[in-house]
């Protein structure tokens, strides 16, 4: 499997078919695969940067959402990485790590010198620790799925 090509943009820069493809992939993984009924288009997509990974045929296979500081309110002081996923057929091929490396590089460019936070599904704790994140909370329930807040100190 060759690597994905990566593109970072604001939601307003994406065409209607790209937005549809993004929301469809997120629904496929977060709603159908994980059986979690929740409102995915939560208003934060409008403020976010969207990292999209496409295969050689142009199909969307991975994505992440990069939220600026204070996007979720004054209590949120660090940029957040969220809605991180790879399509099920890509798992186990290193594309999740490639996605996160891209996300961290873009965060370092957009918000230099700032720590980065994320809310990880608890079973992925070791994956994120290998990328330099540390747990900053206990495990908690978020829409029926165990999560843990994590932080990576200053991006480089």
């Amino acid at each position: 499997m060759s690597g994905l090509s990566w593109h970072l943009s604001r939601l307003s820069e994406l065409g209607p078919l790209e937005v549809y493809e993004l929301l469809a992939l997120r629904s496929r993984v977060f709603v159908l695969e994980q059986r979690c009924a929740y409102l995915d288009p939560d208003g934060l997509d409008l403020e976010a940067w969207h990292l999209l990974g496409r295969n050689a045929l142009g199909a969307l296979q991975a994505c992440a959402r990069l939220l600026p500081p204070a996007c979720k309110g004054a209590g949120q002081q660090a940029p957040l990485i969220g809605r991180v996923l790879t399509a099920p057929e890509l798992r186990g091929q290193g594309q999740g790590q490639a996605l996160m490396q891209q996300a961290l590089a873009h965060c370092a460019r957009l918000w230099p010198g700032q720590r980065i936070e994320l809310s990880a599904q608890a079973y992925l704790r070791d994956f994120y620790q290998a990328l330099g994140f540390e747990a900053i909370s206990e495990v908690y329930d978020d829409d029926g799925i165990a999560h843990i807040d994590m932080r990576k100190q200053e991006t480089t």
Side-chain angles (χ1 to χ4, degrees), residues 11 14 18-26 50 52 60 63:
L11 193 68
L14 298 175
E18 292 172 303
V19 172
Y20 176 84
E21 191 176 20
L22 172 63
L23 295 177
L25 181 60
R26 289 186 352 195
H50 299 273
L52 308 177
L60 184 63
C63 61

Side-chain angles (χ1 to χ4, degrees), residues 14-56:
L14 298 175
L17 294 177
E18 292 172 303
V19 172
Y20 176 84
E21 191 176 20
L22 172 63
L23 295 177
L25 181 60
R26 289 186 352 195
S27 290
R28 178 179 166 207
V29 171
F30 297 133
V31 177
L32 296 177
E33 180 184 343
Q34 297 180 357
R35 296 185 178 117
C36 183
Y38 76 107
L39 183 60
D40 180 34
D42 58 4
L44 296 175
D45 287 311
L46 301 171
E47 304 297 323
W49 289 89
H50 299 273
L51 179 60
L52 308 177
R54 296 184 179 281
N55 67 16

Side-chain angles (χ1 to χ4, degrees), residues 49-52 62-66 81-85 99-100 103:
W49 289 89
H50 299 273
L51 179 60
L52 308 177
C63 61
R65 180 169 83 169
L66 313 181
I81 298 175
R83 302 292 201 267
V84 176
L85 70 87
L99 170 61
M100 282 303 298

